[in-house]
C-alpha cells in the first residue's frame, strides 16, 4: 500500500477528483492550505452539534425528547469555533436545529447504533476510509444509515439513487452489521426537514465497487490534472490557486459558437457562459459585501470614478383583491388571467405561514408540504 499515491481513498477524494482534477491535486497531493467557504463551515458546525447531541444520548443511555436548550448551547460553542459571522446565518442555523429537535421527537439510546462511525472498506488494492453520520436500528433485520445535509436544494430521485457516497455507506454498513438483511439509506435535508430515502441492489453495489477501483486507478496513474470549470467553483477551497478560476473572473472563454444552427456548439457555449455567470455573480456579491462593510462606517465612497452610497428602499405592494377587481373591470380580462400574470407568493410570508401551519399539521406533513412547494 505504501507504493500507492493515495494512502487511502475516501468519498471526498473521489468526488473531488471527479469534479476537478486540479482541485484534487492542490488539496491532496500538493497539500495546499484549504480556504473553506461559508457553506462548508456552516455545514460542519451543524454536523458538530448533531454529533455531540446524539453522542450524549448514547453516553447517558437516555430515552426521551432531545433538548432544544442543549442544542442551542452546543450550537453557540460550534459557532464560536467555526469563525462564522452574521446574525442572519446564525438564525438560520438556530432554526435548522430547532426544527431538527422537533422533527426527531423521542429518541432512545438503544436505537442509535452509531454516531460519526468510522469505516475502512477494502476495494481492490485500495482502502476506502469514511465516516457515517448516524446508523439507527429499525428492526431485527433492518438498519437505517443517515447522512445529514445542509444543502439549499433537495436531491433529485436520480441523484439519490446514484449517489456514490450512499453506496459506499451501504457497503460499509453491511460489513459492520452483517446481521442486517436490509439497509435503508437516507439524506436528512436539514434546511427542509425532509429525509430523502433510497436503497441499493446487489448489482448497484457491485457497480459502485468496480467504479471506485477504476477511479482509484485513474487517480494513481494520472499525469496531468486539468482544471474543470463548473458552477461549484465559487465554493472551491482552492479557487485562489486556480488559473482557470482567475481566467473566469476575467471573463475569458474557450467556447464561442459561430454557427447557431449547430446545436451541440450552442449547448457547449451556453454551459460555459452559465458557469462563468455564476462565478462572476458570486465574485460581484463578494466585492459588494466589502463595499457595504465600509459604507456602514462612511456616508459615501468615491472609487474608480464611481460614487457609492447606501440608500433605504421601499417596495410598493398593491392589495390583491381590490387591484384585480379594478383591472378586471378596466381591461376585460378574467380574474384567472390576471392572477396568472400578476400574482406570486413572497417567500418570507410563505415561510412564516408554513411555520404556523406546522404546529397543526405536524412536522412530517409540514416538511412534505414545504418540499412540494419548493419544487414549484
Amino acid at each position: 500500500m505504501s507504493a500507492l499515491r493515495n494512502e487511502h481513498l475516501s468519498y471526498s477524494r473521489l468526488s473531488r477528483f471527479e469534479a476537478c482534477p486540479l482541485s484534487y491535486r492542490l488539496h491532496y497531493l500538493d497539500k495546499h492550505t484549504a480556504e473553506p467557504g461559508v457553506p462548508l463551515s456552516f455545514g460542519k458546525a451543524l454536523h458538530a452539534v448533531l454529533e455531540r447531541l446524539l453522542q450524549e444520548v448514547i453516553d447517558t443511555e437516555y430515552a426521551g425528547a432531545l433538548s432544544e436548550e442543549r442544542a442551542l448551547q452546543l450550537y453557540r460553542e460550534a459557532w464560536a469555533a467555526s469563525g462564522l459571522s452574521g446574525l442572519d446565518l446564525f438564525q438560520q442555523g438556530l432554526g435548522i436545529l430547532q426544527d431538527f429537535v422537533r422533527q426527531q421527537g423521542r429518541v432512545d439510546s438503544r436505537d442509535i447504533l452509531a454516531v460519526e462511525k468510522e469505516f475502512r472498506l477494502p476495494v481492490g488494492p485500495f482502502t476506502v476510509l469514511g465516516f457515517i453520520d448516524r446508523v439507527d436500528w429499525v428492526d431485527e433485520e433492518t438498519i437505517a444509515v443517515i447522512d445529514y445535509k445542509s444543502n439549499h436544494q433537495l436531491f433529485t430521485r436520480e441523484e439519490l439513487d446514484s449517489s456514490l457516497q450512499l453506496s459506499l455507506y451501504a457497503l460499509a454498513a453491511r460489513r459492520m452489521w452483517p446481521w442486517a438483511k436490509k439497509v435503508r439509506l437516507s439524506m436528512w435535508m436539514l434546511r427542509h426537514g425532509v429525509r430523502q430515502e433510497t436503497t441499493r441492489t446487489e448489482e448497484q453495489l457491485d457497480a459502485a465497487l468496480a467504479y471506485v477501483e477504476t477511479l482509484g486507478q485513474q487517480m494513481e496513474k494520472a499525469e496531468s490534472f486539468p482544471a474543470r470549470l463548473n458552477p461549484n467553483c465559487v465554493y472551491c477551497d482552492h479557487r485562489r490557486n486556480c488559473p482557470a478560476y482567475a481566467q473566469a473572473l476575467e471573463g475569458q472563454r474557450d467556447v464561442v459558437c459561430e454557427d447557431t444552427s449547430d446545436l451541440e456548439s450552442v449547448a457547449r457555449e451556453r454551459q460555459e457562459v452559465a458557469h462563468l455567470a455564476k462565478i462572476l455573480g458570486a465574485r460581484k456579491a463578494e466585492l459588494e459585501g466589502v463595499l457595504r462593510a465600509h459604507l456602514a462606517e462612511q456616508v459615501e465612497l468615491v472609487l474608480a470614478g464611481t460614487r457609492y452610497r447606501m440608500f433605504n428602499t421601499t417596495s410598493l405592494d398593491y392589495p390583491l383583491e381590490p387591484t384585480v377587481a379594478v383591472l378586471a373591470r378596466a381591461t376585460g380580462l378574467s380574474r384567472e388571467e390576471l392572477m396568472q400574470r400578476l400574482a406570486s407568493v413572497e417567500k418570507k410570508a410563505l415561510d412564516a405561514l408554513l411555520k404556523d401551519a406546522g404546529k397543526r399539521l405536524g412536522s412530517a406533513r409540514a416538511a412534505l408540504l414545504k418540499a412540494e412547494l419548493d419544487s414549484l
Side-chain angles (χ1 to χ4, degrees), residues 305-317:
T306 301
R307 190 184 306 274
Y308 296 92
R309 298 191 70 177
M310 296 286 282
F311 293 94
N312 291 324
T313 61
T314 59
S315 61
L316 184 61
D317 294 326

Side-chain angles (χ1 to χ4, degrees), residues 290-322:
V290 174
L291 293 175
R292 278 197 298 270
H294 284 276
L295 286 170
E297 302 174 357
Q298 303 178 52
V299 175
E300 182 177 271
L301 292 172
V302 180
L303 303 166
T306 301
R307 190 184 306 274
Y308 296 92
R309 298 191 70 177
M310 296 286 282
F311 293 94
N312 291 324
T313 61
T314 59
S315 61
L316 184 61
D317 294 326
Y318 294 84
L320 182 60
E321 291 298 340

Side-chain angles (χ1 to χ4, degrees), residues 216-230:
Q217 296 289 2
Q218 283 183 277
M219 296 162 70
E220 291 297 319
K221 297 176 181 178
E223 296 180 358
S224 63
F225 300 89
R228 190 172 294 152
L229 279 180
N230 63 79

